[in-house]
Amino acid sequence: MIFNSIDFAIFFPLVFILYWGIFNKKKTLRNIFLIAVSYFFYGMWDWRFLSLIIMSSSTDFFIGKKIYTETLNSKRKLWLIMSLIINLGFLGFFKYFHFFIDSFTSTFALFGHNIEPHHIEIILPVGISFYTFQTLSYTIDIYNKKIAPTNKPFAFFAFVSFFPQLVAGPIERAKDLLPQFESLSKIDYKQLKSGLLLMFYGFFKKIMIADRLAIFVNNAYGDIENLDTISACTAIVFFAFQLYLDFSAYSDIAIGSSRMLGFNLSLNFRRPYLANSFSDFWKRWHISLSSWFKDYLYIPLGGNKVIRTRRITNILIVFMVSGLWHGPSWNFVIWGFINGLFILVFDSLLFQKNSTAAKRVFNSLFVSVSWALSLVFFRAETLQDAFHLFSSVFTLDTKSLYDFGLNEIEFKFTIKLLLAFIVYEIILENFADLYERFSNFHFIFRWAFFISVLVFIVFYGSYGVGLNDNNFIYFQF
Amino acid sequence: MKKEKKKNQKFNSDTSSNSLFLDKNPILKIIVKSILLILILSIGIVVSDRKGYFDPDQTNNHTKKKWDTFYSFVEKNEVDLLLMGNSHMYSGINPKNLSNTLGLNAFILASPGTRIIDTYFGLKEALQISKPKLVVIETYGINNFNPYELSKQNLSDQFKSFYARKSLKTKLLSTVSLFKSDNYLYAWSNSIRNHEFIFKDTTQLSKNFLLAQKKPKKNRDLYLGRFAAFNKGISKKILAKYNTDGAPVNGEDYDYSIYAEKYVDKIVALCKEKNIELIFLTLPMYHKHIENYASWKNKLGEILHKHPNKWMDMQSDFDRINFTTNCFQDTYKSNQHMTYYGSLIASYKLAGFIKTELNIELPNRKKEVKWRKMFFGQEGFFENNTVMQDDKTNRLLWKNKKINGLIIDEVSVIKEDKKKYVLIAKIKKQKQDDLSKCKLSLLANTSNQEQDKIVRINLNYDKLHQLTDQYIFKSQLKPIEIYNLVNASIICN
């Protein structure tokens, strides 16, 4: 089930009413209900892969206890390794099997040994990268003695499978989210309203802007050989915005719907295109994943407390692994590597603290443009496609911008929407209490505003029969 | 004043207690507000739908016209014969002619491009407001469809036929069976489905806005669901193509889905439950347009022969003499329809089948004043009905006359317009005769420009009106006054 579907529009209000009306009276009952609806939510894609979630949850619930009760360090380590092998084993098999086989055969082919591997058809279970990382953080945190294991299996199973964030995050830490399943949810109107508004905002971003940009981007990337300077540059910029709007929209809906059920999820995006440096960017972009890699990979590798060359290597390793996390392709590895390089090269050279307003604008532009360029590797199907697109930037031609799925009226409308969104982000960056201010407006104004936005979405939204560009991008990871 | 004050106080205390109640129930408050917001939005969408701002083609929405007319027709009349199917039905059968032949009320409720599943739900809705004696289902909709796959995206005929239906209840119940959940809203609202007109079809949008401002004209013409789309018969070019490229349709390619089988069964069960006679009808394509039809027939028979209902298959028993090239659409595309000419031939064949093959009693309304009033002058009226003695416009010249071995049931002069008259003669079919290649010669006392004389009028055999028990002969007349007929004879080559 995807958020922007009729199924979800029926599913969520039903869950909301049953949750608050019947099930949020006893913790166990509430958690069983959440597990059931989460499994239903996930099962709408493929019931078979529910077994993976159940196996992953059972394993980590059991191993977490073992690590905690075991006194011998070597045995504790052994249990942790077992958890890593099982979780990463599933992930590796379903996501990277073909990648590794293909990479091995290509390497052998370089030395003149042609191997023809037997290919098996493997379907990638939706959200496997997200829930695997979430459960892993649980066992690692127990091993590091940061948390104690839970004794409540239903709470733990609900924590792993909680439907709003199950398939595309935010990747939550057990210390933050698990306790929320161990107590009954309390609710106030403000929280409900802010949750609903956040969902509303997410849908607006997705339907109004991201999906419209997707039309242009998909057409442009599907016809890379015929791009010229302007269309190639537009595709690069549009994809940077599409990715941000699409993924942050998902996060907003996930956080908003969780909030409506009385759960608080962590922030995943904080206006990344206004970042002052590349390090700053990664504190604003996909925050839950960046911090996961920082805590569970970068710091264990030595973090900042190692010699310069080792630190450089560690940063590049973390970024390349992060790239690989996104997908089994060298494109993602290169994308990660480039972003590692950006931090290493530019952050120390260009960016200083206490910069002026003009410098801040320059920094944000520099970071955003560099990021957008790196995303060519992220979006292109193959390395050749990525290089082709870069070469198209230097192809002077007169291809119309309106040949990529958006006609003149819709293209100009999209540009206006994008500009409005950028202005809104700048305002939000400078006025954190914008929501509070808005809440103080007269109710007629607020209602008129919401109705107008809803009407705007219905009549101007990018949706329709047979429009296949409406899946969230991060679902594929 | 005091009363007013009290009233205000009561109102204030009521509203404050309401708001306190909602304040104490944040869940209820958010639900109420959300519902209110959705309600306001829905009203806007419903208004837009009603106005037709986002309709794909307001000027030629014959699917909607059929349902609208059907609802108004059954308010005052009974539908005796209901014909359902897709474009093959509404272009291949002429309901006025059929009504006139059988002396009843026939109505076609067929929508373009629809499948048997749409037919089932359409029939279900139609049977809620009407009680026909006979239902005829056309078989082209029984094919290899999957209800959850759309053809032609947002302009899909599935949406159009669903949208045209009027009963909220049956529409609601059929939504889940007809569409996948992603398409529910699109099925229910033209505004949502075609909202992209704002960017992509501003011409249609502004046309619709203009149309919405105009008051719809009341059409008093009798409409029974026919939509004549094709008038030109098969050209020489297409005939040559048949000879060089072969038939564009191969019966061996025909298949049906589990959905098709399921909904044929449901239609049969529904008619049985309502005690309505049901027959299946296959209208033909030109015989050179399709090859290996036997294979198609066998496959389709797997579904249809499970049931006791009769199946009239005009393709299998293709009548090469009467179904000439003029009867079929000039196309090499796989989906060939019948022309107006063809629809008349097919209608008489269907009427003949109903009269001879079915053991049911259909009402004969030919003597009902209301019926005659409704059908008077409509297509096929005079060919199938006797001119009354008191008719002031048309004249009955002969009735039940035996002459020169001919049994002449009727000869009459029909006034088509001020300058156009038609002489119609109906001769009883006798077993030994075939008069279809003959002419009827009549001797008549006439008056033209104040000169009386006896003239010979030759009437041609009417191939379009092939009644089961009569030969129809016709001749166009100049405005002359016929006093009486003197003689009649048949001239055969």
Side-chain angles (χ1 to χ4, degrees):
Chain A
M1 198 185 297
I2 54 173
F3 286 156
N4 52 338
S5 67
I6 294 294
D7 297 341
F8 187 74
I10 298 165
F11 169 82
F12 187 71
L14 270 178
V15 168
F16 179 80
I17 292 165
L18 292 174
Y19 180 86
W20 290 110
I22 301 170
F23 293 100
N24 193 44
K25 311 272 189 244
K26 285 181 180 174
K27 280 178 274 180
T28 311
L29 186 71
R30 189 272 313 265
N31 288 338
I32 290 172
F33 173 70
L34 283 178
I35 293 167
V37 294
S38 297
Y39 284 2
F40 176 79
F41 177 88
Y42 191 84
M44 290 283 278
W45 275 295
D46 202 324
W47 288 99
R48 291 171 300 174
F49 294 125
L50 273 177
S51 57
L52 283 181
I53 298 179
I54 295 167
M55 260 195 277
S56 191
S57 310
S58 318
T59 308
D60 288 325
F61 181 73
F62 174 75
I63 291 179
K65 278 176 175 287
K66 283 285 174 194
I67 295 172
Y68 191 72
T69 49
E70 201 60 65
T71 46
L72 277 175
N73 258 347
S74 56
K75 283 200 172 175
R76 293 178 74 241
K77 205 172 203 167
L78 210 65
W79 282 114
L80 177 67
I81 290 168
M82 196 182 282
S83 165
L84 290 172
I85 288 172
I86 292 170
N87 283 300
L88 294 177
F90 283 143
L91 185 63
F93 176 75
F94 283 101
K95 195 163 178 176
Y96 301 103
F97 181 80
H98 285 309
F99 173 69
F100 286 123
I101 294 286
D102 291 345
S103 299
F104 275 125
T105 48
S106 310
T107 314
F108 274 102
L110 280 178
F111 296 101
H113 299 284
N114 285 322
I115 304 168
E116 282 204 9
H118 178 69
H119 269 267
I120 49 172
E121 198 159 311
I122 300 169
I123 304 165
L124 178 70
V126 176
I128 190 168
S129 312
F130 288 93
Y131 68 75
T132 302
F133 270 38
Q134 186 156 310
T135 50
L136 271 182
S137 75
Y138 172 75
T139 45
I140 298 171
D141 281 356
I142 294 172
Y143 178 79
N144 289 333
K145 296 183 177 169
K146 286 183 181 169
I147 55 166
T150 178
N151 286 320
K152 295 165 180 132
F154 292 122
F156 183 74
F157 275 61
F159 156 74
V160 178
S161 63
F162 189 43
F163 73 87
Q165 46 92 241
L166 174 61
V167 288
I171 302 165
E172 290 296 329
R173 305 296 172 81
K175 70 177 167 53
D176 299 324
L177 188 58
L178 194 52
Q180 297 183 51
F181 286 97
E182 291 172 334
S183 58
L184 279 177
S185 308
K186 283 176 188 161
I187 195 76
D188 62 57
Y189 179 67
K190 268 191 174 178
Q191 193 182 358
L192 280 176
K193 202 166 109 178
S194 74
L196 191 63
L197 282 180
L198 201 57
M199 287 179 79
F200 192 62
Y201 181 49
F203 283 119
F204 181 85
K205 285 196 286 188
K206 171 73 177 158
I207 298 168
M208 290 303 294
I209 323 177
D211 284 350
R212 192 158 271 128
L213 294 171
I215 297 171
F216 187 97
V217 171
N218 291 350
N219 279 301
Y221 274 88
D223 191 19
I224 279 180
E225 289 175 3
N226 289 317
L227 297 178
D228 62 357
T229 309
I230 296 175
S231 54
C233 291
T234 311
I236 291 170
V237 174
F238 272 18
F239 182 65
F241 277 103
Q242 185 205 343
L243 187 66
Y244 170 44
L245 285 154
D246 189 281
F247 195 16
S248 67
Y250 185 91
S251 299
D252 288 346
I253 300 166
I255 296 167
S257 50
S258 304
R259 211 178 274 176
M260 290 194 75
L261 298 175
F263 291 87
N264 286 311
L265 300 186
S266 53
L267 193 69
N268 222 12
F269 290 91
R270 202 166 44 81
R271 298 173 289 285
Y273 294 160
L274 301 179
N276 200 23
S277 67
F278 286 100
S279 313
D280 186 25
F281 178 87
W282 288 104
K283 285 173 193 155
R284 293 163 174 260
W285 179 272
H286 202 176
I287 301 167
S288 64
L289 182 71
S290 307
S291 63
W292 198 99
F293 275 115
K294 186 184 138 208
D295 292 347
Y296 300 107
L297 189 61
Y298 183 65
I299 291 172
L301 284 172
N304 290 331
K305 296 169 188 167
V306 286
I307 55 167
R308 197 158 172 261
T309 47
R310 179 73 192 276
R311 194 179 147 257
I312 291 169
T313 317
N314 289 349
I315 286 175
L316 291 176
I317 288 172
V318 169
F319 271 93
M320 285 197 289
V321 173
S322 159
L324 198 59
W325 176 90
H326 284 83
S329 149
W330 287 107
N331 278 32
F332 287 117
V333 179
I334 290 172
W335 167 75
F337 180 77
I338 291 170
N339 278 290
L341 276 185
F342 283 160
I343 286 192
L344 294 170
V345 177
F346 296 119
D347 268 13
S348 52
L349 289 176
L350 288 174
F351 308 115
Q352 298 112 27
K353 282 178 185 172
N354 306 324
S355 44
T356 60
K359 186 77 173 42
R360 273 194 61 123
V361 173
F362 171 79
N363 289 352
S364 297
L365 275 173
F366 187 82
V367 170
S368 301
V369 171
S370 311
W371 161 254
L373 289 171
S374 77
L375 284 177
V376 172
F377 289 99
F378 188 101
R379 177 61 182 80
E381 296 281 323
T382 60
L383 282 176
Q384 287 93 322
D385 278 358
F387 290 122
H388 212 117
L389 195 132
F390 283 124
S391 69
S392 300
V393 172
F394 303 101
T395 309
L396 295 172
D397 206 342
T398 50
K399 201 163 170 75
S400 168
L401 277 174
Y402 313 133
D403 291 342
F404 297 93
L406 302 178
N407 63 19
E408 188 177 351
I409 310 170
E410 201 171 4
F411 186 86
K412 286 178 178 168
F413 177 76
T414 311
I415 296 289
K416 284 175 198 163
L417 272 178
L418 263 185
L419 290 173
F421 174 71
I422 293 166
V423 170
Y424 175 71
E425 289 267 284
I426 293 168
I427 295 171
L428 211 60
E429 181 78 1
N430 295 295
F431 299 96
D433 60 342
L434 201 65
Y435 170 70
E436 296 298 323
R437 286 179 189 219
F438 181 76
S439 302
N440 292 331
F441 285 154
H442 195 274
F443 89 94
I444 292 177
F445 177 83
R446 280 182 284 133
W447 274 77
F449 176 78
F450 287 128
I451 291 165
S452 312
V453 174
L454 273 175
V455 170
F456 196 57
I457 292 176
V458 168
F459 290 102
Y460 287 84
S462 177
Y463 65 91
V465 187
L467 207 66
N468 299 320
D469 305 321
N470 62 352
N471 260 341
F472 286 94
I473 294 173
Y474 262 70
F475 273 17
Q476 59 184 303
F477 307 135
Chain B
M1 277 293 276
K2 269 186 182 177
K3 258 189 179 178
E4 189 110 317
K5 222 176 179 181
K6 265 191 176 178
K7 220 177 177 183
N8 278 342
Q9 274 175 352
K10 193 174 182 293
F11 173 77
N12 287 337
S13 68
D14 278 356
T15 48
S16 62
S17 67
N18 274 343
S19 102
L20 268 176
F21 176 70
L22 283 181
D23 283 338
K24 279 180 188 169
N25 295 278
I27 310 294
L28 201 63
K29 193 174 175 181
I30 204 88
I31 291 172
V32 168
K33 283 191 169 186
S34 302
I35 289 173
L36 206 61
L37 209 61
I38 291 166
L39 208 67
I40 294 169
L41 181 71
S42 307
I43 290 169
I45 293 168
V46 168
V47 169
S48 165
D49 281 342
R50 287 274 163 98
K51 294 270 180 190
Y53 295 144
F54 290 87
D55 280 5
D57 191 357
Q58 276 275 61
T59 50
N60 186 23
N61 197 345
H62 62 92
T63 309
K64 187 173 177 297
K65 187 181 169 187
K66 279 185 196 74
W67 278 97
D68 289 348
T69 317
F70 183 73
Y71 267 80
S72 55
F73 186 84
V74 295
E75 274 177 21
K76 294 171 189 163
N77 306 285
E78 281 176 58
V79 170
D80 307 306
L81 168 54
L82 182 64
L83 302 108
M84 301 203 69
N86 55 27
S87 54
H88 290 271
M89 180 61 107
Y90 66 67
S91 54
I93 293 292
N94 187 319
K96 286 182 183 172
N97 217 81
L98 194 62
S99 300
N100 276 314
T101 314
L102 295 169
L104 43 67
N105 297 329
F107 201 102
I108 295 183
L109 254 182
S111 312
T114 54
R115 303 83 31 95
I116 197 73
I117 185 170
D118 308 284
T119 305
Y120 167 72
F121 287 110
L123 178 65
K124 212 172 167 185
E125 179 167 338
L127 294 187
Q128 281 175 358
I129 53 164
S130 65
K131 180 91 176 65
K133 295 276 179 302
L134 174 64
V135 167
V136 179
I137 301 287
E138 206 273 329
T139 58
Y140 274 102
I142 307 169
N143 52 42
N144 197 10
F145 70 88
N146 176 344
Y148 305 113
E149 284 170 9
L150 291 172
S151 57
K152 292 190 233 160
Q153 305 300 344
N154 63 323
L155 293 178
S156 173
D157 289 325
Q158 285 156 258
F159 286 131
K160 286 186 198 167
S161 69
F162 177 82
Y163 199 75
R165 278 165 42 203
K166 294 167 86 78
S167 157
L168 283 182
K169 191 183 157 196
T170 54
K171 277 177 82 169
L172 201 66
L173 292 173
S174 64
T175 307
V176 180
S177 308
L178 284 168
F179 302 100
K180 61 177 182 179
S181 58
D182 289 350
N183 293 327
Y184 290 169
L185 285 179
Y186 303 135
W188 277 88
S189 167
N190 265 349
S191 303
I192 292 178
R193 179 166 78 249
N194 300 319
H195 72 283
E196 288 206 330
F197 281 1
I198 288 179
F199 297 112
K200 289 176 180 158
D201 200 348
T202 45
T203 321
Q204 182 69 53
L205 197 63
S206 39
K207 210 160 93 181
N208 288 344
F209 270 99
L210 283 175
L211 274 169
Q213 284 164 9
K214 285 182 190 169
K215 276 190 179 174
K217 282 180 193 168
K218 276 198 173 175
N219 198 341
R220 290 177 192 278
D221 288 348
L222 177 66
Y223 182 71
L224 298 173
R226 176 171 161 71
F227 181 68
F230 311 103
N231 287 313
K232 195 185 161 208
I234 301 171
S235 62
K236 284 181 181 168
K237 194 178 146 194
I238 296 294
L239 279 174
K241 207 168 165 61
Y242 288 141
N243 294 333
T244 53
D245 298 359
V249 181
N250 189 342
E252 286 176 354
D253 298 335
Y254 172 78
D255 204 358
Y256 59 83
S257 62
I258 47 162
Y259 302 104
E261 188 171 9
K262 179 180 165 187
Y263 282 95
V264 166
D265 294 350
K266 277 177 163 271
I267 286 173
V268 172
L270 179 66
C271 288
K272 198 176 171 188
E273 181 199 318
K274 303 252 177 191
N275 202 19
I276 296 168
E277 184 75 20
L278 165 75
I279 61 166
F280 295 99
L281 169 69
T282 301
L283 287 159
M285 292 189 265
Y286 189 54
H287 67 95
K288 288 187 178 178
H289 202 84
I290 181 166
E291 61 184 4
N292 301 319
Y293 179 68
S295 175
W296 180 320
K297 189 182 179 177
N298 287 338
K299 193 83 189 161
L300 182 58
E302 289 172 11
I303 303 181
L304 301 187
H305 290 321
K306 281 197 319 189
H307 307 289
N309 308 77
K310 294 230 159 116
W311 174 18
M312 187 194 185
D313 185 357
M314 294 193 202
Q315 187 72 62
S316 185
D317 308 318
F318 192 87
D319 178 355
R320 291 192 188 206
I321 296 166
N322 292 304
F323 282 136
T324 59
T325 52
N326 286 333
C327 296
F328 301 96
Q329 182 195 354
D330 186 28
T331 183
Y332 194 73
K333 286 180 191 164
S334 59
N335 201 13
Q336 189 186 49
H337 299 85
M338 299 189 89
T339 57
Y340 174 74
Y341 192 104
S343 76
L344 289 179
I345 307 273
S347 298
Y348 278 105
K349 282 185 181 291
L350 176 62
F353 184 86
I354 291 170
K355 277 180 186 170
T356 54
E357 299 287 326
L358 299 185
N359 192 22
I360 54 162
E361 206 168 299
L362 290 168
N364 188 348
R365 302 182 187 277
K366 288 193 176 189
K367 284 179 186 164
E368 288 177 18
V369 178
K370 187 182 166 191
W371 187 89
R372 285 187 73 88
K373 234 179 172 179
M374 186 161 63
F375 283 94
F376 184 81
Q378 300 289 343
E379 288 165 75
F381 181 81
F382 293 110
E383 287 83 354
N384 290 282
N385 292 283
T386 313
V387 172
M388 303 300 268
Q389 298 284 5
D390 58 350
D391 192 330
K392 287 170 187 167
T393 321
N394 311 293
R395 265 184 68 210
L396 184 65
L397 298 172
W398 266 356
K399 197 171 180 190
N400 300 332
K401 192 98 175 166
K402 280 186 184 176
I403 192 163
N404 295 333
L406 298 170
I407 303 170
I408 299 176
D409 286 339
E410 184 187 331
V411 179
S412 44
V413 181
I414 308 300
K415 186 181 178 185
E416 286 197 337
D417 57 44
K418 274 182 183 174
K419 290 181 179 173
K420 217 166 136 190
Y421 291 80
V422 181
L423 190 61
I424 297 181
K426 296 171 191 170
I427 295 176
K428 197 172 217 68
K429 281 188 179 173
Q430 292 173 81
K431 276 179 188 172
Q432 66 273 27
D433 295 333
D434 177 12
L435 307 182
S436 62
K437 283 168 189 158
C438 305
K439 283 183 179 182
L440 177 70
S441 180
L442 294 176
L443 278 182
N445 271 323
T446 65
S447 161
N448 189 13
Q449 293 166 349
E450 294 177 1
Q451 274 189 328
D452 290 354
K453 59 178 178 181
I454 293 178
V455 294
R456 180 177 292 279
I457 306 166
N458 284 338
L459 289 83
N460 292 318
Y461 171 68
D462 186 353
K463 286 179 188 168
L464 296 180
H465 296 278
Q466 297 187 18
L467 279 67
T468 46
D469 52 351
Q470 287 173 327
Y471 292 106
I472 305 278
F473 288 88
K474 270 187 193 168
S475 178
Q476 296 278 345
L477 286 181
K478 287 172 193 168
I480 54 166
E481 184 72 31
I482 298 177
Y483 293 134
N484 56 19
L485 296 173
V486 181
N487 199 1
S489 60
I490 279 288
I491 307 164
C492 297
N493 293 328

